[in-house]
Amino acid sequence: MVSGLELRDVTVRYGDTTALDGVSMAVAPGEVVALLGPSGSGKSTLLRAIAGLEPLVEGTILWDGADLAAVPTHKRGFGMVFQDGQLFPTMSVGRNVGYGLTHLPKAAQRARVTALLELVGLPGLEHRRPTELSGGQAQRVALARSLAPSPHALLLDEPLSALDPGLRRRLADDLALILRETHTTAVYVTHDPEEAERVADRVVTLSPPPAG
Amino acid sequence: MTKAAWRAAWVAAALLPAAFLAVFFAWPAANLVVQGFRDDGVWTPSGFAAVFSSARTWRAVGFTLASAGATTLLCVLLGLPGAHALYRCRFPGRDALRAAVTVPFVLPTVAVGVAFGALLREDGWLGWLGLDGTPVAIVAAMVFFNYSVVVRTVGAMWARLDPRLAQAGATLGAGPLRVFLTVTLPTLAPAVLSAAALVFLFSSSSYGIVMVLGHGRFHTVETEIWFLTTQLLDLRGAAALSVTQLVIVALALWATGRAQAGLTRALTLQPDVGATRRYDARRDLPALAATLATALLLLGLPIANLVWRSLHRGGALTLANYSELATATVQGASPWRALGTSLTTALAATAIAVPLGVLVALVASRRPRRPSARRALAAVEAAYLLPLGVSAVTVGFGYLITLNRPPLDLRSSLILIPIAQAVVALPLVVRSLLPTLRAVDPRQLEAAATLGSPPWSVLARIELPHLTRGLGLAVGFAFATSLGEFGATSFLARPDNPTLPVLVVRLFGRPGAESYGLALAATVVLAGLAGAAMALAERARPEEVTAW
């Protein structure tokens, strides 16, 4: 039985500034945890640390009981959805979604891409270019892309902040549904408490580290 | 100032540089093209036929394309790690290394040729490689020259790419190599192509290097033009070759332009990443190691060797080469006097090129409403960059056959050399000034207008201060390139009053250790001056001017 994501006393520093100071939390498999906090509290930094994009000064991050200190980002199996999507501009939507699927045979890749685009409500958009998508569509494609390789866990860094309020509400509901349907373990960073309630099973508040 | 006067001023501002380029570039170049098709007043393509039926011509064309292609490939391969190390990481000494890497570009081609010749000669430090007088030497020298073009152009874009794009690839399971090949490189492709086009351009018109290092055995289109003009007096054949070179350059620029347009995606560029990313050995060491190796071996070694050898004569450490610069004479000209001539002509060329460049930059940076006017301005900008693509040899040669009738019989006039140098320097001046004007947010100008500023006041008080920030770079650039200019000058210089690059080539061609020592010393002086001028200019470089 997989024991999920665990953080113990995680500390991250940038030069003299402490971005995260001794943060501990646990996410059970299949659980969606929202990370709420004011700006500067280090929410994004925490997410990036889990993904392996920030080095830890102290503390450990464990997945299923195993310490991830020596594991580089591309081997951790944590998907990430960025605030502005970060779709690869030189590839079509289909190639974007299929980017993490190179270990599958071609036919299986295509099938998975189709399935995921349907899941996020954008069937048939395989051949569009990222520049031709609206903001909401781009975020859906970003979600599909990160879910395609069936990651251990999904990290979402304020994925809806760049969208207008009406779209945000609709997409938040869709996101909550998709995460539940796929039983994805997820950490969802947001500054909107209402959105956090919509999407997550549990809301955790991060307070900024003490100054100095 | 009335509206009519304002308009008139702009028209004058546009016409003055246009007239200059029309008389001193378009007309000689067009005349050249025409000469290729005329034989005793009769229109005929036989000039082309004659020149292209010669095997020697085809060898020259082949060698030009092959050496330019090899140089471009090597520059890209070496320049990519250089761009990464120098534009995406921060480490102590990075800025100094960046500046050092750019120095070769502004060195006179003659100086580069002499430096590599000295290094690869039998008695040189790398003489045991046996590369003297081989195409490898020529390509190595051209890579030396153009390495920084790739590093600069690609680095400037790479520094502003959102790092999260590559991070997204990592979270999808792609290792660093796969991310680089499938995400980063395709996104950088427009910058790489632009740099490659420039390198191909510069190395296919590299006249001084081939003259010095070719030992008469290797010919490019440019040296063939020189040969046909000065040795065989075959003006028709030379004109035909000039046209051919124009066509090659135009085709290369057009092809890369098309490819670039197809590859440019809407990218959200970030502020400079390189300013904040600290050096991380695991990620950055290979690129840094490759860059240091290139900087030391390819860039540093020839220069160090040049200086070292210039301080020797007959095996002994001595300053004789330098002290004799003032007294020696070569065909009636002394190096000291040649230096004076070089400095004077460079100053004159700068005095011509910079004001004209300011006018061009002002005109080209306007933002008219109508699409037709905007297209016209884009064409204007492209037109002023043309001299970059036409070889200086063609320009010099064009002057000889065009400016030979009164009232413009300037062939024997000293003013022709600065004019030729100014024509070559003008595109560089424009490219140094235009970005600073373009960076001004148009809403600032609108704000000034709503505060009661008439148009000429807005120009003077809001836009001109931005322009002056680019002036230091423009002046230094113009001066350094005019100082080292060889292609056009070699055609126009008078035998008894040469510029220093011309004199160096003469000295280099004379047998004897003394002449060789003098050539080395003169080269060091020339390179030192050009390098110093450019170093000063670089310190004045505004951050909007990232590449050329």
Side-chain angles (χ1 to χ4, degrees):
Chain A
M1 173 69 193
V2 171
S3 67
L5 181 67
E6 200 184 332
L7 277 73
R8 292 185 198 155
D9 282 323
V10 166
T11 307
V12 175
R13 286 205 194 105
Y14 295 124
D16 292 328
T17 332
T18 306
L20 291 173
D21 192 14
V23 173
S24 300
M25 65 182 256
V27 182
E31 192 185 14
V32 178
V33 171
L35 212 50
L36 208 56
S39 43
S41 51
K43 312 189 294 291
S44 289
T45 311
L46 185 59
L47 226 54
R48 292 165 59 83
I50 299 174
L53 297 168
E54 298 288 347
L56 303 182
V57 168
E58 270 170 45
T60 31
I61 300 180
L62 302 122
W63 171 257
D64 197 16
D67 187 353
L68 294 176
V71 183
T73 305
H74 62 276
K75 296 216 175 90
R76 287 198 185 191
F78 293 152
M80 192 149 175
V81 181
F82 296 82
Q83 191 172 349
D84 49 5
Q86 297 295 335
L87 297 180
F88 304 130
T90 57
M91 303 177 205
S92 66
V93 163
R95 300 238 348 253
N96 261 281
V97 176
Y99 189 80
L101 298 175
T102 47
H103 53 278
L104 293 178
K106 282 274 194 303
Q109 281 184 37
R110 274 196 299 269
R112 185 112 179 105
V113 169
T114 316
L116 260 113
L117 283 176
E118 263 203 52
L119 181 68
V120 299
L122 296 174
L125 255 64
E126 282 91 339
H127 300 292
R128 289 274 187 87
R129 294 257 144 207
T131 44
E132 298 164 22
L133 302 174
S134 70
Q137 286 173 326
Q139 286 305 78
R140 288 177 196 259
V141 172
L143 183 65
R145 179 179 74 176
S146 54
L147 282 175
S150 307
H152 296 149
L154 197 59
L155 309 166
L156 301 106
D157 191 355
E158 303 208 41
L160 305 178
S161 300
L163 306 171
D164 59 68
L167 188 59
R168 217 184 292 165
R169 271 194 297 276
R170 271 203 316 273
L171 232 51
D173 289 331
D174 288 347
L175 223 115
L177 205 60
I178 292 169
L179 289 176
R180 288 227 167 69
E181 267 180 38
T182 50
H183 305 295
T184 309
T185 315
V187 180
Y188 187 100
V189 164
T190 177
H191 59 261
D192 185 351
E194 201 193 304
E195 193 175 295
E197 291 290 334
R198 264 180 207 270
V199 176
D201 300 317
R202 183 162 56 101
V203 175
V204 166
T205 311
L206 200 61
S207 36
Chain B
M1 198 188 262
T2 64
K3 200 155 179 197
W6 181 239
R7 286 249 177 83
W10 277 111
V11 169
L15 283 184
L16 191 58
F20 176 78
L21 271 194
V23 171
F24 293 112
F25 177 67
W27 181 33
N31 195 19
L32 202 66
V33 171
V34 162
Q35 288 299 322
F37 287 101
R38 284 176 77 96
D39 182 10
D40 289 330
V42 176
W43 289 91
T44 162
S46 67
F48 276 86
V51 131
F52 278 103
S53 61
S54 143
R56 192 186 149 109
T57 305
W58 283 108
R59 277 202 301 272
V61 172
F63 184 74
T64 308
L65 293 176
S67 60
T71 305
T72 308
L73 191 63
L74 278 174
C75 277
V76 171
L77 285 177
L78 288 175
L80 280 175
H84 175 92
L86 293 174
Y87 281 83
R88 301 189 84 230
C89 314
R90 204 187 62 214
F91 52 87
R94 182 197 70 174
D95 287 343
L97 192 54
R98 254 199 223 180
V101 151
T102 322
V103 165
F105 183 72
V106 293
L107 292 182
T109 54
V110 164
V112 172
V114 168
F116 269 82
L119 188 65
L120 297 171
R121 259 162 58 116
E122 278 175 341
D123 54 354
W125 281 346
L126 290 185
W128 50 270
L129 284 174
L131 289 173
D132 191 22
T134 65
V136 176
I138 295 178
V139 171
M142 295 205 286
V143 173
F144 170 94
F145 228 167
N146 292 297
Y147 172 72
S148 69
V149 174
V150 177
V151 168
R152 260 240 146 81
T153 312
V154 175
M157 187 188 193
W158 208 345
R160 304 181 58 209
L161 275 192
D162 196 332
R164 290 177 299 177
L165 207 59
Q167 287 163 1
T171 63
L172 290 164
L177 183 63
R178 184 166 171 236
V179 168
F180 178 72
L181 289 175
T182 59
V183 178
T184 314
L185 213 48
T187 321
L188 280 179
V192 175
L193 270 182
S194 164
L198 272 178
V199 172
F200 188 83
L201 193 82
F202 290 144
S203 49
S204 64
S205 55
S206 187
Y207 174 62
I209 290 181
V210 181
M211 283 292 270
V212 171
L213 287 176
H215 294 316
R217 281 205 295 274
F218 297 102
H219 311 283
T220 59
V221 173
E222 291 227 9
T223 59
E224 276 301 282
I225 295 173
W226 172 85
F227 180 73
L228 286 174
T229 321
T230 57
Q231 310 298 89
L232 294 185
L233 296 177
D234 178 6
L235 295 193
R236 256 186 338 129
L241 271 184
S242 290
V243 172
T244 311
Q245 188 190 42
L246 260 170
V247 169
I248 293 178
V249 163
L251 277 178
L253 284 179
W254 174 82
T256 41
R258 287 292 302 271
Q260 247 181 289
L263 287 170
T264 304
R265 311 280 172 200
L267 290 175
T268 42
L269 291 179
Q270 309 296 311
D272 196 343
V273 157
T276 50
R277 253 167 78 128
R278 254 186 331 217
Y279 169 74
D280 170 11
R282 202 181 31 162
R283 181 188 64 207
D284 304 324
L285 187 59
L288 185 62
T291 310
L292 280 175
T294 311
L296 284 172
L297 293 175
L298 183 66
L299 305 180
L301 201 57
I303 299 180
N305 179 60
L306 177 71
V307 176
W308 180 248
R309 304 205 114 247
S310 71
L311 293 169
H312 284 73
R313 187 187 284 191
L317 196 65
T318 164
L319 282 176
N321 289 325
Y322 287 94
S323 55
E324 279 187 27
L325 278 180
T327 55
T329 54
V330 184
Q331 293 168 11
S334 89
W336 197 240
R337 189 157 168 253
L339 175 64
T341 309
S342 278
L343 285 171
T344 325
T345 52
L347 278 172
T350 309
I352 299 174
V354 170
L356 289 177
V358 167
L359 290 176
V360 174
L362 282 175
V363 171
S365 62
R366 298 303 96 196
R367 299 181 182 92
R369 272 208 199 301
R370 292 197 312 262
S372 58
R374 280 203 296 269
R375 276 198 299 268
L377 272 189
V380 161
E381 190 186 336
Y384 280 106
L385 295 181
L386 262 181
L388 262 184
V390 171
S391 82
V393 164
T394 307
V395 170
F397 176 46
Y399 282 12
L400 274 187
I401 63 170
T402 311
L403 301 169
N404 54 6
R405 281 187 302 271
L408 279 173
D409 186 359
L410 296 168
R411 276 170 308 165
S412 53
S413 161
L414 268 180
I415 193 67
L416 208 55
I417 298 178
I419 289 179
Q421 293 175 347
V423 168
V424 172
L426 189 59
L428 298 172
V429 172
V430 173
R431 282 190 97 139
S432 302
L433 295 174
L434 207 46
T436 60
L437 284 176
R438 290 236 167 96
V440 179
D441 192 329
R443 288 174 296 186
Q444 290 210 344
L445 310 176
E446 290 165 1
T450 62
L451 289 165
S453 246
W456 53 267
S457 174
V458 172
L459 180 72
R461 294 169 67 188
I462 313 269
E463 292 191 83
L464 277 189
H466 282 270
L467 185 73
T468 50
R469 283 169 48 243
L471 268 183
L473 179 65
V475 166
F477 221 159
F479 184 74
T481 36
S482 300
L483 200 62
E485 208 287 318
F486 177 64
T489 316
S490 63
F491 275 94
L492 303 169
R494 290 218 298 255
D496 60 335
N497 191 13
T499 59
L500 198 53
V502 174
L503 191 77
V504 164
V505 173
R506 278 193 212 157
L507 277 172
F508 200 65
R510 275 218 310 215
E514 224 178 71
S515 299
Y516 188 62
L518 282 177
L520 291 179
T523 306
V524 170
V525 170
L526 184 63
L529 278 174
M534 203 53 208
L536 282 176
E538 278 294 331
R539 305 212 53 193
R541 177 186 278 263
E543 58 178 39
E544 302 88 270
V545 184
T546 52
W548 47 74

